[in-house]
């Protein structure tokens, strides 16, 4: 068994990137996941909101339109994030039978990212269950889900993003500012480059993430592409869900997507 | 006007934002619409949507009981069923 590293991204089509994210997880849930998966990818210009969020509350929709940022809902909870090419996303999928999936995800799986950041010379810590902090500022937000013994964790690493765009694009709920001295997440984020005081390129981040998860899982990595089935499922999700306002902008339209999942299940059964 | 809209938000003890928006039919004293949103996590995620559907057409008291029924059936991270109930209850204190 090795660590399957998928380096496949569609930075200029954030909808497909997020569709593929769910597709890989969904196929793992249906077909099993013999080898742990690590996917590393980027979006060029997108606001990605949590499953339970309202787009208009988290994102300045006018500004998004002005700068051509895609607004995409992901299938995991948590808060809104801004993705540009200075932000590196990673997803980890493992098959593990456990009575406490969330403890396993945040207590154990997330360490791969800590190892990665340590390899860069940082001293990272986990805070608020799912945030990664360097120099007491957040550099990585994560989200997770699980089903059928498949654990899924994904997160983003702020390496060299444009924080001015991030601040203009994402709204801060007033409550967050009023009630918390640390204020909202985006007022205490930092770039990994600033925290370390040096330039970091994408390949260096990929390298430490791969080595971090190799170390955590005690497996050798190999590089792979999404399978034909994963891509086919992603295409169905893309067309029927992730490219649609009903998913991205409206809340809780899940019943509207029953047909999409019926088609996917049919495809997986046939394959 | 027989319907009134409410919107309550709180920052939970775990630092997440929880918002409950309600539409209440004042004549019948029933919740006609409820939307629970925020940056928390819910497992399984479909359970939250199901909860919202169940609350529709119910009174505030009935809604609170329905939320209680999700103890052990839905795991929330960053917010709690108590937080949701607290916000729903505010309909009463705000007054219809």
């Amino acid at each position: 068994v090795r660590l399957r590293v998928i380096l496949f991204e569609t930075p200029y089509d954030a909808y497909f990137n997020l569709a593929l994210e769910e597709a890989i997880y969904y196929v793992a849930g249906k077909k099993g996941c013999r080898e742990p998966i690590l996917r590393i990818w980027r979006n060029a210009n997108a606001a990605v909101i949590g499953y339970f969020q309202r787009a208009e509350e988290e994102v300045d929709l006018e500004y998004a339109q002005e700068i051509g940022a895609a607004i995409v809902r992901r299938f995991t909870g948590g808060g809104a994030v801004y993705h540009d090419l200075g932000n590196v996303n990673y997803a980890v999928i493992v098959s593990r039978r456990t009575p406490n999936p969330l403890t396993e995800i945040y207590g154990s799986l997330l360490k791969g990212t800590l190892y990665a950041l340590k390899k860069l010379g940082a001293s990272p810590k986990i805070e608020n269950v799912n945030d990664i902090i360097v120099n007491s500022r957040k550099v990585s937000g994560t989200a997770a889900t699980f089903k059928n013994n498949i654990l899924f964790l994904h997160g983003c690493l702020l390496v060299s993003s444009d924080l001015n765009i991030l601040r203009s694009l994402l709204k801060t709920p007033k409550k967050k500012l009023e009630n918390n001295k640390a204020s909202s997440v985006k007022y205490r984020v930092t770039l990994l480059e600033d925290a370390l005081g040096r330039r970091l390129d994408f390949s260096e981040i990929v390298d430490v993430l791969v080595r971090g998860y190799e170390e955590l899982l005690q497996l050798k990595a190999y590089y792979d592409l999404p399978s034909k089935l994963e891509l086919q499922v992603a295409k169905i999700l893309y067309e029927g869900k992730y490219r649609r306002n009903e998913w991205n902008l409206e809340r809780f339209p899940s019943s509207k997507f029953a047909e999409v999942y019926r088609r996917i299940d049919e495809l997986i059964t046939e394959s | 006007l027989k319907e009134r809209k409410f919107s309550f938000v709180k920052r939970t003890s775990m630092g997440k934002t929880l918002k409950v928006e309600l539409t209440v039919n004042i004549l019948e004293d029933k919740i006609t619409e409820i939307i629970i949103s925020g940056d928390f996590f819910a497992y399984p995620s479909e359970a939250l949507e199901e909860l919202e559907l169940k609350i529709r057409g119910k009174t505030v008291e009935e809604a609170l009981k329905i939320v209680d029924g999700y103890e052990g059936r839905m795991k929330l991270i960053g917010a709690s069923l108590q937080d949701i109930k607290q916000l729903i209850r505010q309909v009463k204190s705000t007054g219809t």
Side-chain angles (χ1 to χ4, degrees):
Chain A
V1 173
R2 290 178 296 167
L3 170 63
R4 180 182 172 215
V5 177
I6 300 177
L7 291 182
F8 182 94
E9 58 178 9
T10 56
Y12 295 93
D13 192 339
Y15 309 110
F16 192 86
N17 254 337
L18 269 301
L20 180 61
E21 194 88 334
E22 183 177 342
I24 294 171
Y25 169 65
Y26 195 87
V27 170
K30 293 283 174 181
K31 287 272 186 189
C33 181
R34 209 173 50 83
E35 293 179 313
I37 299 168
L38 171 66
R39 179 186 176 217
I40 304 169
W41 56 282
R42 292 166 301 173
N43 276 328
N45 188 15
V48 176
I49 60 172
Y51 192 142
F52 307 108
Q53 292 190 301
R54 306 198 68 164
E56 68 276 20
E57 300 218 344
E58 303 302 325
V59 183
D60 183 329
L61 300 178
E62 246 174 65
Y63 184 70
Q65 189 158 32
E66 197 184 306
I67 64 165
I71 299 167
V72 197
R73 185 181 301 278
R74 60 176 185 265
F75 70 106
T76 53
V81 288
Y82 170 60
H83 288 176
D84 62 10
L85 293 174
N87 175 82
V88 178
N89 303 296
Y90 57 95
V92 187
I93 306 173
V94 301
S95 170
R96 202 167 287 177
R97 215 176 273 275
T98 163
N100 292 307
L102 291 170
T103 312
E104 189 75 17
I105 290 169
Y106 292 124
S108 162
L109 266 192
L110 189 49
K111 282 190 186 147
T113 309
L114 292 188
Y115 294 166
L117 293 174
K118 280 180 189 158
K119 289 179 198 301
L120 287 175
S123 309
K125 276 190 296 200
I126 296 173
E127 222 176 67
N128 290 340
V129 182
N130 62 330
D131 292 337
I132 295 180
I133 312 291
V134 172
N135 300 347
S136 65
R137 281 164 171 260
K138 178 171 167 177
V139 293
S140 177
T142 64
T145 190
F146 56 90
K147 204 176 210 172
N148 308 335
N149 296 320
I150 302 292
L151 310 183
F152 176 90
L153 166 74
H154 60 180
C156 50
L157 264 179
L158 278 172
V159 180
S160 57
S161 288
D162 187 327
L163 293 182
N164 288 326
I165 294 182
L166 181 153
R167 291 191 177 105
S168 304
L169 186 62
L170 303 183
K171 291 185 190 173
T172 314
K174 283 200 186 100
K175 273 278 167 191
K176 284 191 180 180
L177 281 178
E178 287 164 6
N179 293 2
N180 197 301
K181 50 188 182 307
S183 87
S184 112
V185 149
K186 69 185 169 113
Y187 283 82
R188 53 176 183 91
V189 298
T190 191
L191 301 175
L192 209 47
E193 283 195 347
D194 290 344
L196 295 173
R198 66 180 176 97
R199 292 289 308 270
L200 295 162
D201 65 20
F202 181 57
S203 61
E204 193 174 356
I205 301 294
V206 170
D207 179 60
V208 293
L209 279 170
V210 169
R211 289 196 288 125
Y213 278 92
E214 276 186 329
E215 186 182 332
L216 178 77
L217 300 166
Q218 292 291 303
L219 295 172
K220 284 294 285 171
Y222 73 100
Y223 291 87
D224 198 16
L225 287 169
S227 69
K228 189 179 165 204
L229 180 63
E230 286 164 341
L231 286 171
Q232 284 172 325
V233 170
K235 186 160 179 274
I236 298 174
L237 285 170
Y238 174 69
E239 284 166 359
K241 183 174 171 183
Y242 282 90
R243 218 171 49 175
R244 299 193 176 271
N245 286 345
E246 291 92 327
W247 168 250
N248 294 318
L249 303 182
E250 289 175 29
R251 265 202 76 244
F252 281 137
S254 78
S255 57
K256 287 189 181 175
F257 303 104
E259 174 61 20
V260 170
Y261 288 92
R262 200 195 54 74
R263 282 178 54 208
I264 291 171
D265 289 343
E266 217 175 77
L267 181 74
I268 293 177
T269 312
E270 283 167 14
S271 73
Chain B
L1 205 73
K2 64 176 185 148
E3 288 205 321
R4 200 175 150 191
K5 288 184 188 297
F6 298 87
S7 176
F8 305 115
V9 62
K10 75 172 284 189
R11 187 148 165 97
T12 70
S13 59
M14 291 178 80
K16 303 284 183 190
T17 304
L18 175 70
K19 185 172 186 181
V20 174
E21 292 161 87
L22 300 130
T23 306
V24 178
N25 181 319
I26 298 162
L27 298 178
E28 298 176 5
D29 197 25
K30 280 184 177 152
I31 297 165
T32 54
E33 178 75 85
I34 178 166
I35 298 168
I36 304 166
S37 65
D39 57 353
F40 54 87
F41 297 86
Y43 303 97
S45 42
E46 305 82 42
L48 193 75
E49 178 181 17
E50 184 194 290
L51 172 67
E52 291 177 336
L53 282 172
K54 280 192 181 163
I55 288 176
R56 280 191 208 152
K58 303 292 195 305
T59 64
V60 167
E61 285 72 21
E62 287 167 339
L64 296 173
K65 282 208 188 87
I66 290 168
V67 175
D68 277 332
Y70 276 78
E71 194 73 55
R73 285 181 54 200
M74 175 170 71
K75 182 162 176 61
L76 289 173
I77 304 272
S80 66
L81 293 179
Q82 290 305 322
D83 291 327
I84 293 175
K85 280 166 61 182
Q86 186 200 337
L87 294 183
I88 294 175
R89 244 186 246 119
Q90 284 185 28
V91 170
K92 286 291 174 190
S93 49
T94 312
T96 52

